Amino acid sequence: MELYQHFRKEEHQFIDQVLEWKETVGRQYAPKLTDFLDPREQQIVQSVVGSDGDVRVSFFGGAPFVERKRALLYPPYFEADEGEYDIALFAVRYPGKFVSLEHRDVLGALMSLGLRRGKFGDILVMGGEIQFFTAAEVADYVRLHLGAIGKAPVSLEQLPLSAAIPLEDAWQEETATVSSLRLDAVLAQAFRLARERAKALIESGLVKVNWKVVDKPDFLCGPGDVLSARGFGRCKLFSVEGMTKKERWRVRLGRQK
């Protein structure tokens, strides 16, 4: 199928899922709400659904600035509003004077509840304030079972979506050259690492591309890819701008501030 040629092999299974959603909406003439999707998955859904007049798609994750969003596929007659996305926002109350919690602590505690990652949206951490979005259908379960994060006792307070911490995504951009578009080369340049160090991180399963673990140093990066390395943060390959006279790739990279 020609559609698959535009995507990486490991994305084909998800494309099949999107095609199934699209076919179901078209056949039943009723809307379909997905779990939370990462930005790459949102791109795939948008590409697969396209501008098909019979099925439309829109995205919402609880606030305008979030990364993870639920997709709503719907027929033309349907009018989508934010209430259709069934999203709950929780504030985490904990003894902040005695405990310091980070994003990974919160994510680890949520994952220990036995729910899929797709049931949770963005986790917002600013200063001592922590919030997270969840699918409304599991909100009661989460409230009942999340009593601790690490060793810290916590309680949850549900808030209106309008009370979300207003985080802003910021990238510090630069133009650089890399010997190749291999993951280890791009990662090494972005985080100022020795190539062997970058390779070791990748092979240890500590690196993600578009929110999926990639453990192959020779994985080829492309424009729009978001890379993350545990302990180093995130970077984005904004564009590939051609070869230099010394046969190196000129790229535009961004590191998250």
Side-chain angles (χ1 to χ4, degrees):
M1 187 175 179
E2 185 178 344
L3 173 66
Y4 295 100
Q5 298 175 8
H6 303 288
F7 301 95
R8 293 176 172 133
K9 186 176 181 180
E10 62 269 18
E11 296 173 332
H12 290 183
Q13 185 175 355
F14 181 68
I15 292 169
D16 290 338
Q17 178 71 77
V18 178
L19 288 169
E20 184 178 323
W21 293 337
K22 182 179 177 181
E23 191 273 333
T24 299
V25 172
R27 186 181 70 251
Q28 298 182 353
Y29 215 57
K32 162 66 181 176
L33 180 65
T34 74
D35 281 348
F36 286 93
L37 307 175
D38 65 44
R40 177 58 180 168
E41 290 169 332
Q42 294 166 40
Q43 289 176 4
I44 293 173
V45 172
Q46 186 71 69
S47 296
V48 173
V49 174
S51 55
D52 188 323
D54 294 330
V55 179
R56 299 175 183 175
V57 63
S58 58
F59 303 89
F60 183 62
F65 53 83
V66 299
E67 288 185 342
R68 298 179 62 82
K69 300 176 183 179
R70 303 188 85 169
L72 187 67
L73 287 74
Y74 54 94
Y77 77 87
F78 190 81
E79 292 187 10
D81 61 52
E82 292 182 357
E84 302 291 341
Y85 293 86
D86 290 343
I87 296 172
L89 173 66
F90 283 115
V92 180
R93 305 305 183 198
Y94 66 103
K97 289 184 179 180
F98 310 103
V99 180
S100 178
L101 297 178
E102 299 180 4
H103 183 283
R104 62 184 177 184
D105 302 318
V106 182
L107 180 57
L110 293 176
M111 290 295 89
S112 72
L113 299 178
L115 297 170
R116 296 193 303 273
R117 179 65 179 98
K119 292 302 179 185
F120 301 103
D122 279 25
I123 298 169
L124 312 177
V125 180
M126 186 171 69
E129 196 170 356
I130 297 174
Q131 299 176 351
F132 64 88
F133 296 98
T134 185
E137 63 266 24
V138 299
D140 288 342
Y141 178 88
V142 173
R143 190 205 311 266
L144 183 64
H145 290 90
L146 188 67
I149 297 177
K151 295 181 179 179
V154 304
S155 61
L156 301 181
E157 178 186 356
Q158 188 163 351
L159 302 175
L161 298 182
S162 59
I165 302 171
L167 301 182
E168 293 297 332
D169 197 21
W171 298 92
Q172 186 172 349
E173 297 184 36
E174 67 169 358
T175 299
T177 61
V178 291
S179 58
S180 79
L181 296 177
R182 284 172 46 121
L183 178 56
D184 55 354
V186 175
L187 196 73
Q189 174 63 42
F191 294 118
R192 307 292 191 268
L193 301 173
R195 183 82 171 262
E196 286 303 311
R197 172 68 169 142
K199 183 178 179 182
L201 288 170
I202 296 164
E203 292 177 338
S204 298
L206 302 178
V207 173
K208 294 182 179 181
V209 178
N210 299 326
W211 296 268
K212 303 289 188 296
V213 172
V214 175
D215 59 8
K216 300 185 185 310
D218 62 354
F219 178 93
L220 290 179
C221 299
D225 282 349
V226 175
L227 286 56
S228 64
R230 191 179 303 173
F232 293 90
R234 286 197 289 183
C235 66
K236 183 173 183 177
L237 179 57
F238 282 101
S239 62
V240 178
E241 300 176 351
M243 298 282 281
T244 68
K245 292 179 179 179
K246 295 183 178 180
E247 296 188 343
R248 291 174 60 87
W249 289 98
R250 183 180 291 106
V251 297
R252 190 159 60 90
L253 292 168
R255 286 185 62 177
Q256 201 162 37
K257 295 180 180 178

